[in-house]
Amino acid sequence: MDDDANEMGDDMEGHADIADMVHQDHSDDEDDMIEDFNDNGAFAKELEADLQQNQIIQSSITREEWMLEVERVAFKLKINKGGNDGKEWRSHLDQTKKYADNVRECLPDVRGKLERLSDDVTKALERIGRKEGLLSRSF
């Protein structure tokens, strides 16, 4: 039984050593943080700069001056609807129909041109392939 107690005691001592090592690691981290605070005031300056950035901005302009400025620039801020009265979708639909008609008119001519271009490109690629083959056989 004493052997069991001795083994348990040794086991506990092992865990205590681990706890001491963990505690030592944490105290090293705390020492580093304290050094950061004492680092020639750099941390304090950084903290002060952050606080200044987050402060509420107080205006030195009076309400009357502000309202005069708003009246002066208000017309530039308004969106001009141009009298569409919510029927803007209709003009978009009409414009889309016009574009569709233009595409239908131009399609046969453009299709022929694109097919000729495709044939020319295919022939050019075949010629390039033959010349590459010739060069690779030569060297």
XYZ file of all heavy atoms in Angstrom, residues 2-62:
474
model
N 1.973 1.200 0.719
C 2.887 2.341 0.717
C 3.451 2.585 -0.662
O 3.690 3.722 -1.053
C 4.026 2.116 1.720
C 3.539 2.210 3.163
O 2.539 2.936 3.370
O 4.138 1.575 4.029
N 3.647 1.488 -1.392
C 4.155 1.646 -2.751
C 3.143 2.373 -3.618
O 3.499 3.218 -4.431
C 4.479 0.275 -3.373
C 5.692 -0.367 -2.707
O 6.509 0.403 -2.141
O 5.801 -1.598 -2.762
N 1.839 2.036 -3.424
C 0.795 2.718 -4.184
C 0.761 4.193 -3.827
O 0.638 5.058 -4.698
C -0.582 2.089 -3.905
C -0.699 0.692 -4.521
O 0.080 0.415 -5.464
O -1.559 -0.069 -4.069
N 0.873 4.509 -2.572
C 0.849 5.905 -2.139
C 2.066 6.637 -2.675
O 1.988 7.796 -3.066
C 0.804 5.987 -0.621
N 3.202 5.946 -2.654
C 4.428 6.545 -3.152
C 4.316 6.821 -4.648
O 4.714 7.864 -5.138
C 5.598 5.603 -2.858
C 6.876 6.387 -2.591
O 6.826 7.606 -2.518
N 7.967 5.656 -2.438
N 3.706 5.846 -5.384
C 3.525 6.038 -6.816
C 2.567 7.190 -7.074
O 2.776 7.989 -7.970
C 2.991 4.744 -7.459
C 4.047 3.671 -7.579
C 3.486 2.397 -8.161
O 2.385 2.427 -8.762
O 4.128 1.353 -8.023
N 1.503 7.299 -6.298
C 0.545 8.392 -6.474
C 1.206 9.718 -6.136
O 0.993 10.723 -6.801
C -0.696 8.164 -5.593
C -1.568 7.036 -6.078
S -2.968 6.778 -5.013
C -3.954 8.184 -5.387
N 2.046 9.701 -5.112
C 2.747 10.919 -4.730
C 3.675 11.368 -5.841
O 3.773 12.547 -6.156
N 4.390 10.404 -6.409
C 5.277 10.750 -7.515
C 4.475 11.288 -8.687
O 4.885 12.229 -9.362
C 6.095 9.521 -7.956
C 7.140 9.119 -6.917
O 7.440 9.971 -6.058
O 7.631 7.976 -6.998
N 3.335 10.672 -8.895
C 2.476 11.095 -9.997
C 1.994 12.520 -9.776
O 1.970 13.340 -10.687
C 1.281 10.131 -10.115
C 0.491 10.374 -11.391
O 1.125 10.743 -12.406
O -0.741 10.190 -11.371
N 1.632 12.847 -8.549
C 1.173 14.187 -8.221
C 2.295 15.196 -8.389
O 2.086 16.294 -8.846
C 0.634 14.238 -6.788
C -0.628 13.479 -6.604
S -1.903 14.233 -7.594
C -3.290 13.894 -6.594
N 3.489 14.775 -7.975
C 4.621 15.683 -8.116
C 4.869 15.995 -9.578
O 5.193 17.115 -9.950
C 5.875 15.056 -7.483
C 5.854 15.058 -5.983
C 7.075 14.368 -5.410
O 8.023 14.097 -6.172
O 7.067 14.088 -4.207
N 4.687 15.034 -10.453
C 4.870 15.255 -11.886
C 3.886 16.284 -12.402
O 4.223 17.167 -13.189
N 2.648 16.199 -11.946
C 1.634 17.169 -12.378
C 1.937 18.548 -11.819
O 1.672 19.550 -12.457
C 0.230 16.714 -11.949
C -0.259 15.522 -12.723
N -0.405 15.555 -14.086
C -0.624 14.280 -12.316
C -0.849 14.367 -14.492
N -0.997 13.575 -13.436
N 2.479 18.594 -10.620
C 2.819 19.880 -10.023
C 3.923 20.550 -10.828
O 3.924 21.765 -11.000
C 3.243 19.693 -8.573
N 4.896 19.746 -11.310
C 5.956 20.316 -12.141
C 5.388 20.925 -13.411
O 5.803 21.996 -13.842
C 6.992 19.242 -12.497
C 7.797 18.793 -11.277
O 7.826 19.565 -10.292
O 8.374 17.689 -11.336
N 4.430 20.246 -14.025
C 3.789 20.771 -15.245
C 3.055 22.067 -14.937
O 3.143 23.043 -15.671
C 2.827 19.723 -15.847
C 3.623 18.528 -16.374
C 2.001 20.333 -16.961
C 2.779 17.353 -16.809
N 2.339 22.086 -13.805
C 1.622 23.297 -13.411
C 2.590 24.450 -13.185
O 2.318 25.591 -13.552
C 0.790 23.041 -12.164
N 3.749 24.147 -12.577
C 4.752 25.187 -12.365
C 5.262 25.732 -13.690
O 5.468 26.942 -13.843
C 5.926 24.656 -11.530
C 5.546 24.423 -10.070
O 4.527 25.022 -9.633
O 6.262 23.659 -9.394
N 5.467 24.837 -14.661
C 5.959 25.285 -15.966
C 4.922 26.176 -16.654
O 5.247 27.206 -17.237
C 6.294 24.083 -16.856
C 7.562 23.356 -16.435
S 8.125 22.097 -17.601
C 6.710 21.031 -17.730
N 3.643 25.787 -16.584
C 2.578 26.592 -17.187
C 2.505 27.948 -16.519
O 2.406 28.980 -17.170
C 1.222 25.850 -17.107
C 0.075 26.767 -17.491
C 1.246 24.612 -17.992
N 2.570 27.955 -15.191
C 2.527 29.210 -14.449
C 3.718 30.089 -14.819
O 3.581 31.297 -14.968
C 2.508 28.937 -12.942
C 2.501 30.194 -12.122
N 1.412 31.026 -12.096
C 3.454 30.768 -11.357
C 1.689 32.065 -11.324
N 2.927 31.933 -10.868
N 4.884 29.481 -14.986
C 6.082 30.237 -15.369
C 5.889 30.869 -16.751
O 6.254 32.016 -16.969
C 7.311 29.313 -15.364
C 8.616 30.010 -15.718
C 8.993 31.085 -14.719
O 8.708 30.996 -13.541
N 9.619 32.131 -15.208
N 5.294 30.109 -17.702
C 5.038 30.647 -19.044
C 4.119 31.852 -18.960
O 4.340 32.866 -19.625
C 4.417 29.579 -19.946
C 5.433 28.505 -20.338
O 6.651 28.765 -20.191
O 5.000 27.416 -20.790
N 3.058 31.764 -18.162
C 2.120 32.878 -18.026
C 2.782 34.087 -17.381
O 2.533 35.221 -17.765
C 0.883 32.461 -17.214
C -0.044 31.581 -17.987
N -0.668 31.983 -19.137
C -0.443 30.300 -17.772
C -1.419 30.996 -19.608
N -1.296 29.965 -18.792
N 3.620 33.856 -16.397
C 4.269 34.993 -15.749
C 5.252 35.654 -16.701
O 5.437 36.871 -16.663
C 4.945 34.568 -14.451
O 6.014 33.676 -14.723
N 5.879 34.892 -17.604
C 6.758 35.477 -18.624
C 5.954 36.376 -19.553
O 6.394 37.469 -19.921
C 7.457 34.385 -19.444
C 8.542 33.662 -18.637
O 8.939 34.190 -17.569
O 8.975 32.572 -19.083
N 4.749 35.926 -19.939
C 3.884 36.735 -20.790
C 3.496 38.034 -20.094
O 3.468 39.093 -20.713
C 2.611 35.954 -21.171
C 2.909 34.794 -22.109
O 3.987 34.815 -22.747
O 2.057 33.887 -22.213
N 3.201 37.939 -18.797
C 2.834 39.140 -18.044
C 4.003 40.109 -17.967
O 3.834 41.321 -18.084
C 2.361 38.749 -16.648
C 1.024 38.037 -16.638
C 0.673 37.470 -15.271
O 1.454 37.670 -14.314
O -0.379 36.832 -15.160
N 5.235 39.568 -17.802
C 6.422 40.427 -17.778
C 6.593 41.139 -19.109
O 6.939 42.318 -19.154
C 7.676 39.597 -17.464
C 7.689 39.070 -16.029
O 6.929 39.620 -15.193
O 8.456 38.116 -15.760
N 6.318 40.418 -20.207
C 6.414 41.038 -21.532
C 5.404 42.166 -21.681
O 5.704 43.222 -22.248
C 6.188 40.000 -22.639
C 7.334 38.994 -22.741
O 8.429 39.305 -22.225
O 7.119 37.914 -23.343
N 4.179 41.958 -21.169
C 3.152 42.999 -21.264
C 3.566 44.228 -20.459
O 3.388 45.362 -20.892
C 1.808 42.465 -20.778
C 1.173 41.472 -21.733
S -0.351 40.757 -21.095
C -1.360 42.185 -20.894
N 4.150 44.001 -19.290
C 4.598 45.121 -18.454
C 5.698 45.878 -19.169
O 5.732 47.102 -19.180
C 5.041 44.618 -17.066
C 3.821 44.126 -16.283
C 5.781 45.704 -16.309
C 4.160 43.405 -14.997
N 6.606 45.151 -19.843
C 7.664 45.809 -20.603
C 7.077 46.640 -21.728
O 7.577 47.713 -22.050
C 8.642 44.769 -21.154
C 9.540 44.172 -20.101
C 10.445 43.083 -20.665
O 10.554 42.984 -21.897
O 11.029 42.342 -19.873
N 5.994 46.131 -22.360
C 5.338 46.892 -23.427
C 4.818 48.220 -22.906
O 4.891 49.240 -23.586
C 4.182 46.089 -24.039
C 4.685 44.938 -24.902
O 5.869 44.971 -25.288
O 3.879 44.031 -25.198
N 4.272 48.225 -21.684
C 3.749 49.462 -21.108
C 4.871 50.439 -20.780
O 4.701 51.640 -20.839
C 2.933 49.175 -19.838
C 1.561 48.681 -20.125
C 1.186 47.385 -19.791
C 0.626 49.505 -20.734
C -0.079 46.931 -20.054
C -0.644 49.050 -21.004
C -1.003 47.762 -20.667
N 6.033 49.920 -20.401
C 7.149 50.773 -20.007
C 8.089 51.086 -21.165
O 9.133 51.670 -20.960
C 7.950 50.100 -18.883
C 7.144 49.988 -17.615
O 6.282 50.825 -17.354
N 7.401 48.951 -16.837
N 7.757 50.712 -22.365
C 8.624 50.850 -23.535
C 8.667 52.298 -24.013
O 8.073 52.649 -25.018
C 8.151 49.921 -24.649
C 9.109 49.922 -25.833
O 10.300 50.214 -25.646
O 8.638 49.627 -26.950
N 9.372 53.149 -23.273
C 9.575 54.552 -23.621
C 8.267 55.285 -23.944
O 8.238 56.202 -24.742
C 10.531 54.679 -24.823
C 11.925 54.224 -24.463
O 12.342 54.322 -23.312
N 12.648 53.708 -25.444
N 7.183 54.847 -23.412
C 5.909 55.517 -23.617
C 5.325 55.294 -25.001
O 4.361 55.950 -25.375
N 5.885 54.410 -25.801
C 5.392 54.175 -27.164
C 3.970 53.631 -27.129
O 3.114 54.057 -27.901
C 6.312 53.224 -27.910
N 3.734 52.697 -26.217
C 2.395 52.127 -26.117
C 1.402 53.187 -25.674
O 0.293 53.270 -26.196
C 2.401 50.949 -25.132
C 1.076 50.255 -25.035
C 0.657 49.387 -26.026
C 0.227 50.484 -23.953
C -0.558 48.754 -25.949
C -0.987 49.856 -23.861
C -1.386 48.980 -24.868
N 1.804 54.031 -24.737
C 0.922 55.095 -24.251
C 0.617 56.080 -25.377
O -0.516 56.530 -25.533
C 1.561 55.821 -23.069
N 1.621 56.400 -26.179
C 1.402 57.314 -27.311
C 0.457 56.699 -28.326
O -0.412 57.367 -28.870
C 2.739 57.659 -27.979
C 3.625 58.551 -27.140
C 4.954 58.799 -27.813
C 5.890 59.589 -26.921
N 7.221 59.753 -27.526
N 0.627 55.407 -28.567
C -0.245 54.702 -29.507
C -1.677 54.689 -28.999
O -2.626 54.926 -29.741
C 0.270 53.272 -29.663
C 0.048 52.674 -31.016
C 0.699 51.305 -31.106
O 1.945 51.238 -31.114
O -0.057 50.329 -31.170
N -1.844 54.430 -27.719
C -3.160 54.404 -27.107
C -3.810 55.782 -27.166
O -4.992 55.914 -27.471
C -3.057 53.921 -25.654
C -4.365 53.732 -24.899
C -5.216 52.676 -25.587
C -4.080 53.315 -23.469
N -3.028 56.818 -26.908
C -3.545 58.188 -26.952
C -3.977 58.557 -28.377
O -5.015 59.181 -28.583
C -2.474 59.160 -26.467
C -2.960 60.596 -26.349
C -1.879 61.506 -25.782
O -1.048 61.040 -24.993
O -1.902 62.690 -26.159
N -3.202 58.136 -29.370
C -3.560 58.416 -30.765
C -4.868 57.725 -31.134
O -5.721 58.305 -31.812
C -2.439 57.966 -31.693
N -5.045 56.472 -30.677
C -6.292 55.754 -30.942
C -7.479 56.455 -30.293
O -8.556 56.566 -30.883
C -6.209 54.316 -30.432
C -5.320 53.439 -31.294
O -5.018 53.848 -32.434
O -4.929 52.356 -30.818
N -7.298 56.934 -29.067
C -8.376 57.642 -28.373
C -8.744 58.931 -29.102
O -9.914 59.281 -29.205
C -7.980 57.938 -26.926
C -7.950 56.738 -25.984
C -7.414 57.149 -24.618
C -9.325 56.120 -25.857
N -7.746 59.644 -29.625
C -8.023 60.888 -30.349
C -8.793 60.611 -31.630
O -9.666 61.379 -32.013
C -6.717 61.617 -30.672
C -6.095 62.291 -29.487
C -4.771 62.963 -29.843
O -4.279 62.819 -30.946
N -4.217 63.688 -28.888
N -8.495 59.505 -32.281
C -9.214 59.163 -33.504
C -10.669 58.812 -33.220
O -11.537 59.051 -34.042
C -8.548 57.979 -34.204
C -7.277 58.339 -34.913
C -6.656 57.130 -35.580
O -6.974 55.990 -35.261
N -5.755 57.388 -36.506
N -10.942 58.240 -32.063
C -12.284 57.787 -31.735
C -13.119 58.829 -30.995
O -14.241 58.539 -30.601
C -12.213 56.504 -30.913
C -11.646 55.358 -31.708
O -11.756 55.326 -32.924
N -11.022 54.419 -31.030
N -12.581 60.020 -30.795
C -13.336 61.053 -30.093
C -14.473 61.569 -30.966
O -14.422 61.517 -32.193
C -12.434 62.233 -29.738
C -11.495 61.966 -28.603
C -10.645 63.196 -28.297
O -10.537 64.086 -29.119
N -10.041 63.208 -27.131
N -15.499 62.085 -30.346
C -16.614 62.695 -31.060
C -16.163 64.051 -31.569
O -15.587 64.853 -30.836
C -17.844 62.838 -30.143
C -18.328 61.455 -29.708
C -18.943 63.615 -30.829
C -19.449 61.494 -28.699
N -16.449 64.309 -32.830
C -16.040 65.577 -33.429
C -17.079 66.636 -33.078
O -18.271 66.453 -33.307
C -15.925 65.433 -34.957
C -14.878 64.384 -35.305
C -15.603 66.767 -35.605
C -14.831 64.036 -36.778
N -16.635 67.722 -32.528
C -17.512 68.830 -32.176
C -17.399 69.901 -33.260
O -16.308 70.288 -33.638
C -17.122 69.418 -30.811
C -17.276 68.454 -29.660
C -18.713 68.059 -29.425
O -19.630 68.837 -29.630
N -18.912 66.819 -28.998
N -18.521 70.357 -33.738
C -18.543 71.341 -34.812
C -18.479 72.755 -34.243
O -19.039 73.052 -33.195
C -19.818 71.182 -35.628
O -19.886 72.190 -36.598
N -17.794 73.617 -34.976
C -17.739 75.017 -34.571
C -18.687 75.866 -35.417
O -18.717 77.084 -35.284
C -16.296 75.528 -34.707
O -15.884 75.451 -36.056
N -19.479 75.215 -36.270
C -20.414 75.916 -37.150
C -21.769 76.006 -36.460
O -22.270 75.020 -35.907
C -20.547 75.174 -38.486
C -19.200 75.120 -39.180
C -21.577 75.841 -39.373
C -19.180 74.263 -40.415
N -22.381 77.167 -36.532
C -23.702 77.336 -35.915
C -24.770 76.690 -36.787
O -24.549 76.418 -37.964
C -24.042 78.826 -35.733
O -24.142 79.427 -37.026
C -22.985 79.536 -34.896
